[in-house]
Amino acid sequence: MSSPLARPVRRYALAAFAAGVLLAATFAALVLWLRSDLRAEIHAKIIERNAAVLYPMALEQLAETDSGGRNLSVTALLRSAQQPGMLGVAVFDASGNTLDAVPSTQILVELPTDDFLRLQGGVPISRYHPAFPLDQYFSGVGRDQPGAPVLEVLLALPGGPANPPRGFVRYFIDARPLARELELIDRRTDRQAYAILGVGTLLIALLLTGAAIGLQRAQRVVEERTERLARINFELTLAAKASAIGQIASHLIHGMQGSVEGLRSFVATREAGADSPHWHAATDYAERLQRMIRDTVALLSDTSANASYEYSGPELAAIIRERHAPAASAKGVAFTVDCTFAGMIDSHRGSLLCLIAHNLVQNALAATPAGATVTVRLDATDGRLRLIVADEGTGISPAIREHLFQPGRSGRPGGSGLGLAISRLLARQIGADLRLETTSERGSSFVLDLPLQPQSGAG
């Protein structure tokens, strides 16, 4: 189950993703706008460059035949029509009237009013036509011919200081070399713009990915810490309840001790004069109950009196075998206890280990059918004592496995689920770890892993 904080974290992640997409879109729009603006500016500069080149040439042609008067030397200006790449030249007087044009195939040679007014200020005009309609300006050109790139340049011819222009000249120039130059510039600006766009988008994507990974890690940390806090809170609550129950159980057990002893004596007396198997079973139950009370009282007495002694590995194995062999025999289950642990362990931890083993073995016997085997093994490796209890039952279902050590979750009909929860709590009291090692349709095994050196704070 996810933490309640997971939902806000997901909302923040979605918000960050949306902000990143908006940032990427804004960045892309800005780059494309700058590309378009830069391309237009470069085009304008290159086109104006041609007007700047033609203007001195026109002045030089005038100077060759000009005597300083107001009349234009049309012949000198029209000589430029013979230069390579020149499609046509037209000369206009100071009033904008057409004087002459080369070639003579030009149609409707006139100076538009807007251009005339602009040229009055002496500013050259340059226009680039990517698909110039030649058939509309030159006769003899078929309509089926596609438009060609043409550069149109209009110049005002100076009339001297403080005088209006002496006339105007218009050039139509073959702009195919210019078109190739502009196309090359456009490809370069496109490559640069797309490279910047790609790098910027990649950086934004990396930033978003890093932010998303950071949010996911933060979410996992929050969930883990919340889960750990809930588990610690549950264990503290369970420990408090167990402490209260332990105190109550201590008084009850001390009070029951004499009554159970009397009951056992009474049942034993009736058993001697009766042949009913029910009396034999009652005697057995009474003896087992008395033994459990005696063990619990001994543990409580040792704890309250701070008594300290030690159990050896074989002694622990003998206690476990003695307590559960009769129940296993009655059910027809083979019960074996193997011990390779030859060391010693203090009485407090040894007694709690036996109580945990009691719960585990009871569950194993309940899960194991007649004719199968329950195995208990005690061994020591790397300074740790391991208690392994394995059965040959049908395994633990995934639904129970998820909440195995929580009260109220039991795989047995009528079970309370307290045995494993209390066993894990007891294990942590002595610094041990209790876990489900394996489970399948062939059986299950539980492992108690106990450090042989007592840990600080344990117990």
Side-chain angles (χ1 to χ4, degrees):
M1 182 179 296
S2 62
S3 166
L5 295 177
R7 191 174 303 169
V9 171
R10 293 192 186 97
R11 285 202 297 266
Y12 296 150
L14 290 176
F17 177 77
V21 172
L22 180 61
L23 178 62
T26 304
F27 176 73
L30 181 62
V31 169
L32 295 177
W33 176 77
L34 289 175
R35 180 204 64 170
S36 177
D37 187 67
L38 178 63
R39 178 187 293 180
E41 185 175 355
I42 294 175
H43 284 198
K45 295 297 183 184
I46 293 177
I47 293 170
E48 291 173 0
R49 178 193 64 189
N50 290 275
V53 171
L54 285 174
Y55 188 61
M57 182 185 71
L59 296 179
E60 182 181 356
Q61 291 172 349
L62 284 175
E64 292 177 0
T65 57
D66 196 359
S67 60
R70 294 290 299 167
N71 295 325
L72 290 175
S73 178
V74 177
T75 304
L77 292 172
L78 294 179
R79 281 206 313 266
S80 59
Q82 301 173 2
Q83 294 183 1
M86 192 68 70
L87 299 178
V89 180
V91 182
F92 307 91
D93 62 14
S95 300
N97 299 316
T98 303
L99 297 178
D100 202 353
V102 174
S104 59
T105 57
Q106 293 190 55
I107 305 172
L108 298 177
V109 180
E110 61 181 8
L111 183 63
T113 303
D114 292 342
D115 292 344
F116 174 75
L117 296 176
R118 289 180 59 188
L119 290 171
Q120 289 292 327
V123 179
I125 299 175
S126 297
R127 295 191 188 97
Y128 171 66
H129 305 279
F132 189 76
L134 294 175
D135 59 323
Q136 297 180 17
Y137 288 84
F138 298 91
S139 62
V141 178
R143 293 180 176 272
D144 57 341
Q145 295 183 6
V150 171
L151 178 65
E152 180 184 4
V153 179
L154 293 96
L155 301 174
L157 303 173
N163 291 321
R166 297 167 60 186
F168 310 96
V169 60
R170 180 177 66 189
Y171 301 94
F172 286 125
I173 306 170
D174 182 5
R176 284 177 294 181
L178 175 62
R180 289 192 292 269
E181 183 181 2
L182 295 178
E183 184 181 359
L184 179 61
I185 291 173
D186 289 346
R187 286 200 299 265
R188 288 179 178 176
T189 55
D190 287 343
R191 283 199 301 268
Q192 293 174 356
Y194 292 141
I196 294 173
L197 184 60
V199 172
T201 304
L202 178 61
L203 291 176
I204 292 174
L206 291 176
L207 179 64
L208 283 175
T209 302
I213 292 174
L215 284 173
Q216 289 179 353
R217 288 180 177 174
Q219 177 182 340
R220 284 197 298 269
V221 170
V222 169
E223 290 181 352
E224 290 173 358
R225 291 183 178 178
T226 303
E227 183 180 357
R228 189 181 303 118
L229 181 61
R231 186 168 60 248
I232 292 173
N233 184 57
F234 166 75
E235 290 176 355
L236 289 174
T237 303
L238 186 60
K241 292 180 178 179
S243 177
I245 292 173
Q247 295 178 8
I248 296 172
S250 176
H251 292 290
L252 290 176
I253 290 172
H254 279 289
M256 290 171 57
Q257 189 173 9
S259 301
V260 171
E261 175 63 25
L263 176 62
R264 191 195 67 81
S265 300
F266 171 75
V267 172
T269 302
R270 295 298 302 268
E271 180 188 6
D275 296 330
S276 174
H278 298 292
W279 287 108
H280 295 284
T283 302
D284 182 58
Y285 290 146
E287 289 179 351
R288 288 171 55 192
L289 181 59
Q290 186 180 18
R291 188 184 311 115
M292 291 174 58
I293 291 175
R294 188 165 50 246
D295 293 340
T296 305
V297 168
L299 176 62
L300 293 173
S301 300
D302 291 344
T303 302
S304 61
N306 292 325
S308 178
Y309 52 93
E310 291 185 332
Y311 286 111
S312 66
E315 288 174 338
L316 292 174
I319 293 172
I320 295 172
R321 187 182 300 108
E322 179 184 354
R323 288 182 178 178
H324 300 286
S329 177
K331 190 176 180 182
V333 174
F335 181 65
T336 62
V337 181
D338 299 327
C339 179
T340 60
F341 171 56
M344 306 293 290
I345 187 172
D346 61 90
S347 59
H348 176 65
R349 294 191 296 164
S351 298
L352 289 180
L353 184 145
C354 290
L355 287 178
I356 296 170
H358 175 77
N359 289 333
L360 296 178
V361 172
Q362 276 191 327
N363 290 342
L365 290 175
T368 303
T373 302
V374 171
T375 302
V376 178
R377 188 167 70 253
L378 285 166
D379 56 34
T381 55
D382 299 329
R384 307 182 73 86
L385 173 61
R386 285 165 52 91
L387 167 69
I388 304 171
V389 179
D391 62 58
E392 294 182 355
T394 57
I396 301 172
S397 66
I400 299 298
R401 203 181 308 159
E402 293 180 1
H403 309 281
L404 190 60
F405 293 96
Q406 296 181 11
R409 304 301 180 101
S410 176
R412 289 184 297 160
S416 64
L418 285 174
L420 287 176
I422 293 175
S423 295
R424 172 170 277 187
L425 180 61
L426 293 175
R428 289 177 177 170
Q429 290 293 320
I430 56 176
D433 176 51
L434 176 61
R435 65 183 182 275
L436 173 66
E437 184 78 359
T438 60
T439 185
S440 67
E441 66 276 3
R442 294 191 299 270
S444 305
S445 64
F446 286 83
V447 174
L448 176 73
D449 194 356
L450 172 65
L452 290 177
Q453 293 297 327
Q455 297 178 346
S456 60

